[in-house]
């Protein structure tokens, strides 16, 4: 009985190994996997093609085109450099230098500044003649915006400013010849007689301060005269189809408020201590609004606020009744852009 019990396990092991070998011979060998080859991802179903990104050369050409457009708008929007005063560099007083010597030296610097300014006025007048000739040539041109001048905004502004500077040139040049180096002491008190290219920076700032004080005094006087003036203005504006129709039906208090905001009448009326007549206010407000409407359209046509230089932005904001003192260039540009978007 022990012999079968001892011999039976080896026979079972041989049978099991034999059956395993037979099954191994029947199964196909597994396919070897190459670790360097990643499995292919599943194909997407109905996936739209990705848009092709612009190449480096395409982005560069776009930047060049934008820069060229900005340079062109700068030339169209701004007057030439001669429309502004030349640079003024007054040397500081040297240690031990007497006051008389320093004033004489500074006076010679100012005389050189005034001579350059007078030359710029002459160049502007010459260029204004060329602009008038250009306007006569383009007078018969058919334009989509026929109501606008057939010249750029920079030429149009130069034409306006040169006309006023030529009226001031003769008396100012006579004072320069008469007073010589002492002219700066007198020029601060006769700013209305000084042409634009001959005004020193102190004069420009004093004029801005004077305009803002005048505007504030006029508004205060209007509010004191009639507490309902603002209400009447707000009620009357939407009643008309456009601004000029609203001006035609405005009462005197509304016209005073608008004229004070736009500085539309001379400061001599403030010295007389009574308000201008309604007919004069209506004419002056309409005239100022016509100028601003044309200037707004020319700025939009020739490139927008981005093409204006800092000096033109400051002048444009002051003409529209904004305070320009203690304001940064970014704030003034934002205010002018808001004005242009609201005046459409």
């Amino acid at each position: 009985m022990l012999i079968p019990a001892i011999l039976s396990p080896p026979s079972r092991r041989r049978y099991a190994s034999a059956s395993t070998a037979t099954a191994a011979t029947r199964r196909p060998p597994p396919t070897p996997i190459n670790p360097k080859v990643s499995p292919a991802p599943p194909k997407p179903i109905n996936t739209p093609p990705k848009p092709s990104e612009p190449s480096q050369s395409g982005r560069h050409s776009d930047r060049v085109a934008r820069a060229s457009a900005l340079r062109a708008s700068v030339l169209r929007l701004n007057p030439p450099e001669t429309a502004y005063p030349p640079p003024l560099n007054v040397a500081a007083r040297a240690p031990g230098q007497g006051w008389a010597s320093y004033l004489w030296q500074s006076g010679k610097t100012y005389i050189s500044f005034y001579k350059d300014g007078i030359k710029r006025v002459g160049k502007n007048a010459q260029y204004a003649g060329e602009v008038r000739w250009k306007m006569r040539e383009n007078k018969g041109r058919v334009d989509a915006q026929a109501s606008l001048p057939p010249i750029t905004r920079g030429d149009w502004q130069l034409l306006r400013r040169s006309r006023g500077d030529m009226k001031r040139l003769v008396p100012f040049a006579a004072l320069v010849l008469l007073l010589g180096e002492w002219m700066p002491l007198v020029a601060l008190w006769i700013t209305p007689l000084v042409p634009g290219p001959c005004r020193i920076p102190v004069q420009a700032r004093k004029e801005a301060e004077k305009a803002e004080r005048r505007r504030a005094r006029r508004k205060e006087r209007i509010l004191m005269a009639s507490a309902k003036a603002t209400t009447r203005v707000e009620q009357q504006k939407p009643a008309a189809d456009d601004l000029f129709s609203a001006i035609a039906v405005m009462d005197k208090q509304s016209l005073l408020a608008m004229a004070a905001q736009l500085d539309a009448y001379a400061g001599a009326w403030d010295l007389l201590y009574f308000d201008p007549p309604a007919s004069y206010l209506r004419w002056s407000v309409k005239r100022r609004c016509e100028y601003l409407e044309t200037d707004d359209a020319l700025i939009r046509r020739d490139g927008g606020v981005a093409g204006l230089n800092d000096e033109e932005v400051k002048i444009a904001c002051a003409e529209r009744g904004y305070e320009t003192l203690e304001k940064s260039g970014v704030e003034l540009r934002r205010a002018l852009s808001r004005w242009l978007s609201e005046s459409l």
Side-chain angles (χ1 to χ4, degrees), residues 32-208:
I33 299 176
N34 189 356
K36 296 183 180 180
V37 179
S38 58
K43 295 183 179 180
I45 301 174
N46 297 331
T47 303
K50 294 183 179 180
S52 58
E53 297 182 357
S55 62
Q56 189 71 19
S57 60
R59 287 194 294 267
H60 177 69
S61 62
D62 292 342
R63 286 195 297 268
V64 171
R66 286 195 297 268
S68 301
L70 182 59
R71 284 194 297 269
S73 66
V74 167
L75 294 176
R76 292 193 303 267
L77 285 166
N78 303 298
E81 195 67 26
T82 54
Y84 311 108
L88 176 63
N89 300 315
V90 181
R93 182 186 174 193
Q97 185 180 12
W99 277 106
S101 174
Y102 173 69
L103 291 176
W104 180 262
Q105 180 183 355
S106 301
K108 288 167 57 176
T109 304
Y110 279 104
I111 284 296
S112 177
F113 168 81
Y114 287 136
K115 287 181 179 179
D116 292 343
I118 291 174
K119 290 179 181 178
R120 292 192 173 205
V121 174
K123 290 180 180 178
N124 292 338
Q126 182 181 0
Y127 188 71
E130 298 176 1
V131 172
R132 294 189 190 94
W133 179 76
K134 189 189 304 182
M135 290 180 64
R136 286 193 295 268
E137 274 196 341
N138 298 333
K139 189 175 182 179
R141 188 185 64 181
V142 178
D143 195 353
Q145 296 175 326
S147 59
L148 296 180
I151 52 177
T152 64
R153 193 254 179 191
D155 292 345
W156 184 67
Q157 285 290 345
L158 178 72
L159 197 63
R160 293 183 66 256
R161 297 175 193 177
S162 177
R163 189 182 302 118
D165 290 338
M166 289 303 295
K167 295 177 181 178
R168 305 183 185 102
L169 180 61
V170 174
F172 177 75
L175 288 175
V176 171
L177 293 175
L178 181 65
L179 299 176
E181 286 77 3
W182 305 104
M183 182 63 191
L185 301 178
V186 182
L188 294 175
W189 305 97
I190 57 169
T191 299
L193 295 178
V194 180
C198 299
R199 295 183 181 181
I200 60 178
V202 176
Q203 284 180 291
R205 182 171 182 85
K206 282 185 175 295
E207 280 296 299

Side-chain angles (χ1 to χ4, degrees), residues 274-309:
F274 64 86
D275 298 327
S279 58
Y280 172 76
L281 287 172
R282 204 179 308 278
W283 173 80
S284 60
V285 169
K286 182 181 178 181
R287 184 181 179 187
R288 176 55 63 93
C289 290
E290 287 175 350
Y291 160 71
L292 293 178
E293 186 180 37
T294 304
D295 194 40
D296 292 345
L298 288 175
I299 291 175
R300 295 192 199 96
R301 187 197 68 182
D302 291 343
V305 181
L308 293 172
N309 58 35

